Amino acid sequence: MKLAVITGGGANFYSIEVALKRMQIEYELTTDKEVISAADGAILPGVGSAAYAMNELSKYDLCDTLRNYKKPLLGICLGMQLLYESSEEGGDVACLGILPGKIRKFIANDDLIVPQMGWNNFSKLQESSLLNEIDLTKDVYFVHSYYAPVNQVTLAACDYGVKFAAMAAQDNFYAMQFHPEKSGSVGEQLLANFIAIVQQQEL
């Protein structure tokens, strides 16, 4: 089994590399759509702005490749946000349109610091094999200023001044707003669950 880690949508891929190496998962950092299509599954990580990331995906001609992807794909942090229809970051940025909804910015106030940076818990809204054996009493690590809405594709929700989607899934697309690779044992179990989904579709 081999994963494609898509590097055309953001930055800071080192932590996901470390996690995959620790789990002994073969992977390739790539912006090549043929490599992505040939892999058994893909991860779209990212830290940065939606507009820049979408420009990068367009530059590498990856937008339609991702929209039409038929194997398991996991979006992490900005990679999750890019899966939605649009983002209000930098005005109004058209995203991949795979998941329904618009990405919005947290509104800072005396009690709410933006970005959310640190540990927070989440609650399960729907059953999914992505959540197998997950201890919901444990927190996960977030770093983000923008959030996805809670709607029909939301698997788990979190609260930070407003309730937002911490995890989502639709068909073969999966998403996590937090960083599983920085979230200790619960994050490693979530990554292991995604890898199990990839392996299952190979059978």
Side-chain angles (χ1 to χ4, degrees):
M1 190 204 76
K2 186 175 184 178
L3 295 178
V5 178
I6 302 164
T7 58
N12 191 27
F13 309 109
Y14 176 73
S15 59
I16 194 70
E17 282 193 88
V18 169
L20 293 175
K21 287 177 180 176
R22 183 172 63 247
M23 299 172 73
Q24 299 183 315
I25 300 300
E26 186 180 359
Y27 69 92
E28 182 173 348
L29 299 179
T30 186
T31 54
D32 186 324
K33 57 186 178 181
E34 292 185 5
V35 172
I36 295 167
S37 297
D40 299 300
I43 297 178
L44 179 63
V47 175
S49 76
Y52 173 81
M54 286 305 300
N55 284 337
E56 288 292 290
L57 291 178
S58 295
K59 181 175 76 175
Y60 293 109
D61 194 25
L62 291 179
C63 293
D64 285 342
T65 298
L66 298 182
R67 291 183 182 113
N68 298 318
Y69 202 65
K70 302 304 181 186
K71 299 172 185 177
L73 184 147
L74 173 64
I76 296 174
C77 195
L78 177 62
M80 170 178 179
Q81 295 178 11
L82 297 179
L83 297 179
Y84 283 80
E85 292 171 307
S86 64
S87 173
E88 66 179 24
E89 184 176 5
D92 194 7
V93 178
C95 297
L96 293 169
I98 294 166
L99 302 181
K102 182 172 185 174
I103 303 300
R104 301 192 180 277
K105 187 173 185 177
F106 289 120
I107 299 174
N109 56 44
D110 291 342
D111 299 316
L112 193 75
I113 297 171
V114 178
Q116 177 183 199
M117 185 179 298
W119 299 84
N120 206 339
N121 57 16
F122 62 86
S123 56
K124 181 169 66 174
L125 300 185
Q126 297 188 56
E127 294 294 335
S128 170
S129 55
L130 198 59
L131 286 163
N132 286 351
E133 299 183 42
I134 296 302
D135 184 350
L136 295 174
T137 66
K138 292 188 176 181
D139 292 351
V140 290
Y141 188 76
F142 291 86
V143 182
H144 63 128
S145 298
Y146 294 81
Y147 65 91
V150 174
N151 59 22
Q152 67 270 29
V153 300
T154 307
L155 294 181
C158 184
D159 192 286
Y160 191 70
V162 63
K163 194 173 184 179
F164 67 90
M167 297 175 64
Q170 180 170 267
D171 301 324
N172 55 304
F173 294 95
Y174 302 86
M176 302 177 190
Q177 179 58 67
F178 51 89
H179 288 270
E181 77 280 11
K182 297 181 180 179
S183 296
S185 60
V186 65
E188 187 160 315
Q189 182 63 53
L190 285 164
L191 286 174
N193 288 348
F194 174 71
I195 290 162
I197 291 169
V198 176
Q199 293 171 329
Q200 182 64 32
Q201 62 92 41
E202 292 183 278
L203 300 178

